[in-house]
Amino acid sequence: MVQLQNQEDRLSQILSSFSCHLDEDIANFLHNRAAEFEKLQKSKTYLVFDEDSLANDPQIVIWGYFTVALKSLELPQSMSTRTRRELDGFSGKANNAPIASLPCYLIGQLARNDRISKEQLPGKELLIEALRVILSAADLVGGRLAMIECHNDEHLKTFYRENGFETIGSDQEDGKTMVQMLCKIC
């Protein structure tokens, strides 16, 4: 029992090395919710480390992390059948009615530690790693779409657009507008 406690303390110490002052919710999720979401099979969280420090440094620092989950994307009623067909990859209709939702992989969190520079870990590298995980899952079970929901911030939207995502709508989350963006993965 002591050994397990020491492991939990060590994990807590490692997780506490992550901070993100631009969005405290991102750090809060990692510190307080990621393990719970793992246990409930709601998502999987991937931690990014420097390999050298991981092997040699007793003060391990998380460089970044991302979380991947499944999501049902509710399509707006105003969306054309053509767009639905492009997203669905088949017909855009089911039982002679427009498809109302599509399954997708959600990148629920994606962030770099405040202590790590853009040069050390470019955001694009972190996103590529998240998409690699999604592609692995898609190879096993199928799926065509990856989705992110980000704050309505021009810098974030530009970053995701430059990396293959397109804005498809928005949603309200805790009183904040979250922009929904999709990327076809196959």
Side-chain angles (χ1 to χ4, degrees), residues 15 75 146:
L15 293 179
L75 302 176

Side-chain angles (χ1 to χ4, degrees), residues 24-175:
E24 291 293 329
D25 289 341
I26 288 174
N28 184 50
F29 178 84
L30 183 62
H31 298 157
N32 301 310
R33 311 267 333 257
E36 177 185 3
F37 275 45
E38 290 263 346
K39 288 176 187 171
L40 295 171
Q41 295 293 316
K42 292 177 71 76
S43 64
K44 296 294 180 183
T45 298
Y46 297 83
L47 306 176
V48 178
F49 298 95
D50 172 58
E51 287 184 31
D52 293 334
S53 69
L54 190 57
N56 304 318
D57 188 355
Q59 298 298 319
I60 295 172
V61 173
I62 297 171
W63 281 40
Y65 86 98
F66 58 90
T67 299
V68 177
L70 296 172
K71 181 162 177 108
S72 178
L73 172 65
E74 302 302 318
L75 302 176
Q77 289 182 347
S78 62
M79 183 177 280
S80 71
T81 302
R82 180 176 179 226
T83 302
R84 291 171 198 271
R85 183 174 40 249
E86 287 174 11
L87 293 174
D88 179 51
F90 188 62
S91 75
K93 290 187 174 186
N95 301 319
N96 291 323
I99 292 173
S101 64
L102 291 171
C104 61
Y105 295 95
L106 173 68
I107 301 172
Q109 308 288 336
L110 180 94
R112 177 180 44 247
N113 193 328
D114 287 338
R115 296 190 253 174
I116 305 302
S117 71
K118 291 178 183 178
E119 292 73 30
Q120 290 173 294
L121 180 62
K124 184 172 184 162
E125 271 188 40
L126 200 53
L127 181 58
I128 287 169
E129 286 303 315
L131 291 171
R132 276 192 191 128
V133 168
I134 289 169
L135 283 169
S136 293
D139 283 345
L140 293 171
V141 298
R144 313 176 30 84
L145 302 170
M147 177 181 168
I148 59 94
E149 292 180 317
C150 67
H151 293 287
N152 192 11
D153 173 275
E154 282 308 314
H155 176 74
L156 286 173
K157 293 188 296 188
T158 299
F159 168 76
Y160 286 113
R161 271 194 297 270
E162 289 173 350
N163 288 286
F165 285 79
E166 296 178 29
T167 303
I168 59 139
S170 62
D171 196 13
Q172 291 291 324
E173 185 178 297
D174 297 328

